[in-house]
């Protein structure tokens, strides 16, 4: 708040008016007192208090600034939320040298804070495979008591301790809840092998929780080497086959074209993963993905309606805000492929 130097317009108020207005503004904006309490203290009506506060704003006696941490871009976040009809969109400023990198690590830190807001006691938290979800789990420092379940197999069973299994354990440790990891690869050689693994006791127990998940955290991959773990697990012939179907994005081993339609559904029969219709029924699905190289893939997955919230960075957000016609609101969550 400024005082006698509040500006020419404010100088039209007499000194007693200025002092009283400043005192009322301090009570209201800094001390959190109600207009009724202020009126009682100064012996005036609450209507006069309201007028004084309004005048204080008009005449620059009080200045209100809205500030968020420097790493958050509030304007882009709100624009992205509105464009895609998301429940939450959080856009993070990325260092200039990391703009071309997919999923900067700071996305995981912000996503960890977001999960701390979204998860409530008794929830079932589902975590899918992905570098960004692994970064998120490593950054977690608060979660209410909840059950944590793994939603996909791992990229490589030999790296389970450093990947999604460890992410599930970490989240459960922070929350004090039960952990249900999946010790199996995400992609199997054929549908029969995948079906056999799904029936194994530990994996079947995790699958039983899929319909109970209330908050899920997923990653998004572009259909290119190094940006999609599923892409990297397939043979050259298989990659070419799915590319011919128009694959633009991958999420939890589900493939999407640029319009958000699911393609290559046969791949899911070979995968240990949550089903797309199960994801659609989860109340809150948070995707963590960023970088210019993933921007088109993020757009495709958001158009699918499977995701309700997004944590991304400014380089991806700028692309998303100009990515063709606005899609149907995600919170409608209708299957773009029909029933």
């Amino acid at each position: 708040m400024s005082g006698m130097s509040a500006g020419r317009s404010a100088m039209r108020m007499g000194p007693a008016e200025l002092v009283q207005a400043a005192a009322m503004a301090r009570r209201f904006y800094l001390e959190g007192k109600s207009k009724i309490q202020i009126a009682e203290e100064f012996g005036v009506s609450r209507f006069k208090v309201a007028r004084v506060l309004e005048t204080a704003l008009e005449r620059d006696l009080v200045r209100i600034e809205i500030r968020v941490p420097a790493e958050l871009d509030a304007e882009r976040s709100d624009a992205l939320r509105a464009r895609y009809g998301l429940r939450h969109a959080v856009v993070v400023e990325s260092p200039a040298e990391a703009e071309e990198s997919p999923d900067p690590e700071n996305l995981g830190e912000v996503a960890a804070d977001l999960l701390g807001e979204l998860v409530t006691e008794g929830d079932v938290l589902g975590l899918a495979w992905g570098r960004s979800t692994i970064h998120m789990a490593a950054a977690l420092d608060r979660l209410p008591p909840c059950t944590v379940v793994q939603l996909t197999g791992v990229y490589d069973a030999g790296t389970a301790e450093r990947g999604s299994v460890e992410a599930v354990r970490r989240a459960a440790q922070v929350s004090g809840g039960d952990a249900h990891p999946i010790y199996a690869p995400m992609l199997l050689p054929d549908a029969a092998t995948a079906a056999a693994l799904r029936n194994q006791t530990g994996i079947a127990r995790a699958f039983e929780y899929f319909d109970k998940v209330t908050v899920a955290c997923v990653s998004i991959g572009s259909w290119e080497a190094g940006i999609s773990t599923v892409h990297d697990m397939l043979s050259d012939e298989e990659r070419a086959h799915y590319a011919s179907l128009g694959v633009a994005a991958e999420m939890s081993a589900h493939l999407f074209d640029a319009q958000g339609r699911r393609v290559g559904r046969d791949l899911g029969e070979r995968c240990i993963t949550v089903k797309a219709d199960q994801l659609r029924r989860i109340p809150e699905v948070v995707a963590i993905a960023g970088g210019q190289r993933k921007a088109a893939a993020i757009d495709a997955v958001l158009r699918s309606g499977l995701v309700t919230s997004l944590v991304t960075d400014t380089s991806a957000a700028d692309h998303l805000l100009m990515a063709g016609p606005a899609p149907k609101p995600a919170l409608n969550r209708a299957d773009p492929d029909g029933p």
Side-chain angles (χ1 to χ4, degrees):
M1 287 185 289
S2 54
M4 295 291 288
S5 60
R8 289 186 177 181
S9 58
M11 289 299 293
R12 294 173 188 154
M13 299 175 70
E17 292 176 307
L18 276 171
V19 170
Q20 185 183 68
M24 288 183 176
R26 181 175 296 279
R27 303 290 195 280
F28 186 73
Y29 291 107
L30 300 183
E31 299 176 11
K33 291 188 176 181
S34 69
K35 293 174 183 176
I36 293 177
Q37 290 174 313
I38 297 170
E40 291 176 350
E41 177 182 351
F42 286 88
V44 298
S45 71
R46 62 185 177 90
F47 301 106
K48 180 174 181 178
V49 173
R51 287 195 301 272
V52 170
L53 293 175
E54 183 178 349
T55 301
L57 284 172
E58 291 174 350
R59 299 193 176 186
D60 208 22
L61 184 64
V62 172
R63 297 180 182 180
I64 297 177
E65 294 184 5
I66 300 173
R67 294 182 177 180
V68 295
E71 69 270 17
L72 300 183
D73 191 309
E75 185 175 352
R76 284 185 175 93
S77 297
D78 189 54
L80 206 57
R81 179 200 57 75
R83 174 175 171 78
Y84 288 93
L86 297 168
R87 186 170 291 119
H88 304 284
V90 182
V91 177
V92 181
E93 289 281 356
S94 292
E97 63 272 15
E99 284 187 356
E100 297 295 331
S101 302
D103 303 336
E105 290 193 21
N106 61 339
L107 295 185
E109 297 171 2
V110 173
D113 287 339
L114 179 61
L115 280 190
E117 291 183 59
L118 299 180
V119 176
T120 60
E121 184 172 352
D123 274 345
V124 177
L125 172 62
L127 300 181
W129 162 265
R131 285 180 291 267
S132 56
T133 52
I134 292 169
H135 292 154
M136 179 277 299
L140 281 172
D141 59 10
R142 63 185 177 98
L143 271 182
C146 65
T147 298
V148 186
V149 60
Q150 194 169 320
L151 295 179
T152 63
V154 298
Y155 173 49
D156 180 350
T159 63
E161 295 302 315
R162 302 188 300 277
S164 47
V165 169
E166 180 56 31
V168 169
R169 287 177 173 171
R170 167 65 182 167
Q173 180 185 37
V174 172
S175 73
D178 294 332
H180 296 276
I182 294 178
Y183 295 95
M186 181 189 296
L187 180 66
L188 282 302
D190 51 63
T193 304
L197 274 178
R198 292 188 199 105
N199 289 326
Q200 288 190 357
T201 303
I203 297 175
R205 186 177 300 117
F207 269 56
E208 289 174 357
Y209 278 91
F210 285 2
D211 288 326
K212 303 174 184 177
V213 173
T214 50
V215 180
C217 191
V218 300
S219 296
I220 296 173
S222 298
W223 198 244
E224 59 178 298
I227 312 296
S228 165
T229 53
V230 172
H231 176 281
D232 293 347
M233 286 188 282
L234 296 173
S235 67
D236 290 341
E237 292 76 14
E238 289 170 326
R239 293 168 189 157
H241 165 66
Y242 291 117
S244 72
L245 300 179
V247 174
E250 171 265 317
M251 180 182 70
S252 302
H254 300 293
L255 309 180
F256 305 87
D257 68 11
Q259 285 71 47
R261 296 182 295 246
R262 287 183 60 215
V263 296
R265 298 190 183 206
D266 60 303
L267 181 64
E269 298 175 4
R270 296 170 49 196
C271 294
I272 303 298
T273 185
V274 61
K275 295 179 180 178
D277 61 344
Q278 289 174 313
L279 278 172
R280 199 177 299 279
R281 291 194 296 268
I282 296 174
E284 185 75 76
V285 179
V286 181
I288 313 170
Q292 291 181 11
R293 293 176 66 186
K294 279 196 176 184
I298 297 168
D299 176 65
V301 172
L302 292 182
R303 289 175 184 274
S304 76
L306 292 176
V307 168
T308 61
S309 297
L310 175 70
V311 178
T312 190
D313 64 356
T314 51
S315 59
D318 286 341
H319 175 93
L320 293 169
L321 291 171
M322 298 184 294
K328 294 180 180 179
L331 294 184
N332 180 23
R333 306 193 79 180
D335 189 340
D337 305 320

